[in-house]
Amino acid sequence: MNGAGGPFVDGSGACTRNVTAHGGRILANAKVHRMFWGDYWTQAAHTAEATDYDTTWTNLANDPSFYTRMSEYGVGAGSAGTRWNLGGAPTGSISEATITARIQSTLSAASYFPSSNDLFVVYLPSGTTDQFDITNNFAGHHNHFTWNVLFFSFDVAYAVIEYSSDRNYTNPVVSHEISEAATDPDLNQFFDGGDGSEVGDICRFVYNNIAGQQVETIYSQKSCRCVREREIDNLDYSGAGHPTLTVFRSGTWYGLGASSYWNFGAPGDYPLPGDFNGDGRTEYALFRPSNGAWYVLNNASGFYDTFFWGVSGDIPVPGDYDGDGITDKAVWRPSNGTWYIWQSSTNTTYSVQWGTSGDIPTPGDFDSDGKTDIAVRRPSSSTWYVLPSTTPGFYTWAQWGVSSDIPVVGDYNGDGKTDWTLFRPSEGRFYVWYKDTGTAFWYGWGTWGDIPVVRDYDGDWKSDIAVWRPSDGNWYVLNSGGGSSTTQWGTSGDIPVLRNVQ
């Protein structure tokens, strides 16, 4: 095991966890209802508290990126259901039967008959606890019950959240229970058969941010570690959790399988897609070197926003530098080696001097803390210099490659850390140095003139070796999970949008 979030492996490198299906159901498209039980939540002193939870989980339940973490278990995008005020004043320790009876009576009174995707999240008020949670020292749990109405039977999935005045404690608990309820609603589907742990249990207290809100990560059997939402640079316009092959041609974006093409930009612009507003979907975005402007197209409205951040000659280096799950606008200035970063979480800016003229910026998450780290590669000495966000004031470095190599950062072994990686066009080879083990490998893939387009194409949370060939417009992908693919998309002169900006 490498840190709290994995990977969970033994001495031979074999995964020690085994989360598999056990024949039950999932909530394929969860509809998350918020149930506030007790007059506590309607009292003047506490209505803002209830509204805060309701707003947070209305937004997150509607956020596709929250569910992309569960895609390997068959869970797709979900939605927010209704807010229910249960009323009454339960006090002390209450039984599971009392909770299910209250859910049932509330639904019955409203003539609401749940579908197979409904999930009811019950927030207990201050002064009330659940006997099951107290016995097991839980902060919450999920379960299900059968509700028979005449000739019909409904399998009702629900979660119970113990009260805490600390929202940064409660919200990760809510995310934990929703993730487990979606993948194992009846306690008979996805869990580790060895000890019964569900996808949230394995990653308890391992956090990340989605759209600025702290949530818990969940376990991925494919990568044998705790995972965040899908990487924001995967050009996932639909929010489905996988990349769309896209090229940029003289101001027009062409996406394979996308609903349409977009005339957005001009020749000379850098296409730099990312999730700039935290909605879980990738926005079309551009950096225009001539005026230092960023143009971000809003998915919902179809209008674009303009941000002036940079000057002519700057190199755009967008990333999630503050770890809030939203792409930050950032540039690196070769003339003075300074990084200028505009943080989305606080809407404030800062600058860091790191690098010198002739360096190549190579930002990535080298320490696996969910934040983009400042880094450069110096071709003159073939040296990488990384300024980790977890250890401000200290840096790491490594000499790797030759001066003509192209740096291609990515997480090639699924440990959550960016690996030092190079593409050598003269040989058609990728050289990968795994940071966690200190071992290195090379892969013969590509030829002179190819452009590296490394991303996670097969959905196993590992970067896949890939190139785009301008001469024939083909994407050649070597999947980390096995096999390869060739897809023709684009023509000579296009810019493949999934490439690193050099």
Side-chain angles (χ1 to χ4, degrees), residues 405-420:
D405 289 344
I406 299 173
V408 190
V409 294
D411 178 13
Y412 293 84
N413 59 355
D415 66 347
K417 297 179 181 178
T418 298
D419 301 305
W420 286 306

mmCIF file of all heavy atoms in Angstrom, residues 405-420:
data_model
loop_
_atom_site.group_PDB
_atom_site.id
_atom_site.type_symbol
_atom_site.label_atom_id
_atom_site.label_comp_id
_atom_site.label_asym_id
_atom_site.label_seq_id
_atom_site.Cartn_x
_atom_site.Cartn_y
_atom_site.Cartn_z
ATOM 1 N N ASP A 405 14.230 15.141 -26.641
ATOM 2 C CA ASP A 405 13.021 14.427 -26.238
ATOM 3 C C ASP A 405 11.868 15.394 -25.967
ATOM 4 O O ASP A 405 12.080 16.547 -25.574
ATOM 5 C CB ASP A 405 13.267 13.606 -24.967
ATOM 6 C CG ASP A 405 14.163 12.409 -25.209
ATOM 7 O OD1 ASP A 405 14.342 12.031 -26.378
ATOM 8 O OD2 ASP A 405 14.690 11.857 -24.224
ATOM 9 N N ILE A 406 10.654 14.901 -26.142
ATOM 10 C CA ILE A 406 9.447 15.680 -25.847
ATOM 11 C C ILE A 406 8.854 15.163 -24.534
ATOM 12 O O ILE A 406 8.513 13.981 -24.436
ATOM 13 C CB ILE A 406 8.405 15.532 -26.971
ATOM 14 C CG1 ILE A 406 8.975 16.046 -28.298
ATOM 15 C CG2 ILE A 406 7.119 16.276 -26.613
ATOM 16 C CD1 ILE A 406 8.060 15.781 -29.492
ATOM 17 N N PRO A 407 8.732 15.998 -23.499
ATOM 18 C CA PRO A 407 8.138 15.540 -22.233
ATOM 19 C C PRO A 407 6.640 15.292 -22.396
ATOM 20 O O PRO A 407 5.928 16.096 -23.004
ATOM 21 C CB PRO A 407 8.413 16.694 -21.270
ATOM 22 C CG PRO A 407 8.577 17.897 -22.138
ATOM 23 C CD PRO A 407 9.159 17.405 -23.427
ATOM 24 N N VAL A 408 6.173 14.161 -21.877
ATOM 25 C CA VAL A 408 4.762 13.773 -21.988
ATOM 26 C C VAL A 408 4.309 13.279 -20.616
ATOM 27 O O VAL A 408 4.389 12.093 -20.318
ATOM 28 C CB VAL A 408 4.549 12.669 -23.048
ATOM 29 C CG1 VAL A 408 3.059 12.480 -23.307
ATOM 30 C CG2 VAL A 408 5.269 12.988 -24.341
ATOM 31 N N VAL A 409 3.834 14.183 -19.772
ATOM 32 C CA VAL A 409 3.478 13.805 -18.411
ATOM 33 C C VAL A 409 2.179 13.011 -18.386
ATOM 34 O O VAL A 409 1.295 13.191 -19.234
ATOM 35 C CB VAL A 409 3.347 15.042 -17.502
ATOM 36 C CG1 VAL A 409 4.686 15.731 -17.334
ATOM 37 C CG2 VAL A 409 2.310 16.014 -18.043
ATOM 38 N N GLY A 410 2.079 12.111 -17.422
ATOM 39 C CA GLY A 410 0.888 11.301 -17.246
ATOM 40 C C GLY A 410 1.102 10.325 -16.110
ATOM 41 O O GLY A 410 2.229 10.172 -15.600
ATOM 42 N N ASP A 411 0.042 9.649 -15.694
ATOM 43 C CA ASP A 411 0.119 8.628 -14.647
ATOM 44 C C ASP A 411 -0.010 7.269 -15.320
ATOM 45 O O ASP A 411 -1.107 6.791 -15.580
ATOM 46 C CB ASP A 411 -0.992 8.839 -13.609
ATOM 47 C CG ASP A 411 -0.993 7.770 -12.529
ATOM 48 O OD1 ASP A 411 -0.011 7.010 -12.429
ATOM 49 O OD2 ASP A 411 -1.979 7.684 -11.779
ATOM 50 N N TYR A 412 1.115 6.629 -15.586
ATOM 51 C CA TYR A 412 1.124 5.442 -16.435
ATOM 52 C C TYR A 412 0.902 4.138 -15.665
ATOM 53 O O TYR A 412 0.624 3.106 -16.282
ATOM 54 C CB TYR A 412 2.443 5.370 -17.213
ATOM 55 C CG TYR A 412 2.575 6.487 -18.212
ATOM 56 C CD1 TYR A 412 3.059 7.737 -17.835
ATOM 57 C CD2 TYR A 412 2.182 6.322 -19.531
ATOM 58 C CE1 TYR A 412 3.164 8.779 -18.740
ATOM 59 C CE2 TYR A 412 2.275 7.364 -20.452
ATOM 60 C CZ TYR A 412 2.767 8.591 -20.049
ATOM 61 O OH TYR A 412 2.853 9.628 -20.936
ATOM 62 N N ASN A 413 1.034 4.159 -14.347
ATOM 63 C CA ASN A 413 0.809 2.930 -13.577
ATOM 64 C C ASN A 413 -0.357 3.043 -12.604
ATOM 65 O O ASN A 413 -0.601 2.133 -11.812
ATOM 66 C CB ASN A 413 2.082 2.517 -12.822
ATOM 67 C CG ASN A 413 2.565 3.588 -11.857
ATOM 68 O OD1 ASN A 413 2.004 4.685 -11.805
ATOM 69 N ND2 ASN A 413 3.603 3.280 -11.097
ATOM 70 N N GLY A 414 -1.097 4.148 -12.656
ATOM 71 C CA GLY A 414 -2.316 4.270 -11.871
ATOM 72 C C GLY A 414 -2.122 4.454 -10.392
ATOM 73 O O GLY A 414 -3.014 4.140 -9.607
ATOM 74 N N ASP A 415 -0.958 5.006 -9.974
ATOM 75 C CA ASP A 415 -0.740 5.219 -8.545
ATOM 76 C C ASP A 415 -1.143 6.619 -8.100
ATOM 77 O O ASP A 415 -0.973 6.982 -6.944
ATOM 78 C CB ASP A 415 0.720 4.967 -8.172
ATOM 79 C CG ASP A 415 1.686 5.981 -8.789
ATOM 80 O OD1 ASP A 415 1.266 6.742 -9.696
ATOM 81 O OD2 ASP A 415 2.861 6.013 -8.378
ATOM 82 N N GLY A 416 -1.689 7.404 -9.019
ATOM 83 C CA GLY A 416 -2.135 8.749 -8.689
ATOM 84 C C GLY A 416 -1.065 9.803 -8.796
ATOM 85 O O GLY A 416 -1.321 10.979 -8.534
ATOM 86 N N LYS A 417 0.157 9.400 -9.181
ATOM 87 C CA LYS A 417 1.265 10.346 -9.301
ATOM 88 C C LYS A 417 1.687 10.489 -10.764
ATOM 89 O O LYS A 417 1.721 9.506 -11.511
ATOM 90 C CB LYS A 417 2.461 9.865 -8.482
ATOM 91 C CG LYS A 417 2.206 9.773 -6.986
ATOM 92 C CD LYS A 417 3.445 9.269 -6.258
ATOM 93 C CE LYS A 417 3.200 9.151 -4.760
ATOM 94 N NZ LYS A 417 4.376 8.626 -4.039
ATOM 95 N N THR A 418 2.019 11.715 -11.141
ATOM 96 C CA THR A 418 2.533 11.966 -12.478
ATOM 97 C C THR A 418 3.930 11.372 -12.604
ATOM 98 O O THR A 418 4.774 11.562 -11.728
ATOM 99 C CB THR A 418 2.566 13.472 -12.764
ATOM 100 O OG1 THR A 418 1.238 13.993 -12.707
ATOM 101 C CG2 THR A 418 3.153 13.751 -14.138
ATOM 102 N N ASP A 419 4.157 10.637 -13.679
ATOM 103 C CA ASP A 419 5.457 10.020 -13.929
ATOM 104 C C ASP A 419 6.258 10.855 -14.925
ATOM 105 O O ASP A 419 5.698 11.485 -15.829
ATOM 106 C CB ASP A 419 5.266 8.602 -14.492
ATOM 107 C CG ASP A 419 4.484 7.700 -13.552
ATOM 108 O OD1 ASP A 419 4.897 7.574 -12.395
ATOM 109 O OD2 ASP A 419 3.452 7.150 -13.985
ATOM 110 N N TRP A 420 7.594 10.825 -14.768
ATOM 111 C CA TRP A 420 8.464 11.479 -15.737
ATOM 112 C C TRP A 420 8.480 10.642 -17.011
ATOM 113 O O TRP A 420 8.916 9.482 -17.012
ATOM 114 C CB TRP A 420 9.887 11.608 -15.178
ATOM 115 C CG TRP A 420 10.017 12.656 -14.128
ATOM 116 C CD1 TRP A 420 9.648 13.959 -14.232
ATOM 117 C CD2 TRP A 420 10.567 12.505 -12.809
ATOM 118 N NE1 TRP A 420 9.936 14.637 -13.069
ATOM 119 C CE2 TRP A 420 10.503 13.768 -12.183
ATOM 120 C CE3 TRP A 420 11.110 11.437 -12.111
ATOM 121 C CZ2 TRP A 420 10.948 13.974 -10.888
ATOM 122 C CZ3 TRP A 420 11.569 11.641 -10.821
ATOM 123 C CH2 TRP A 420 11.482 12.902 -10.215
#
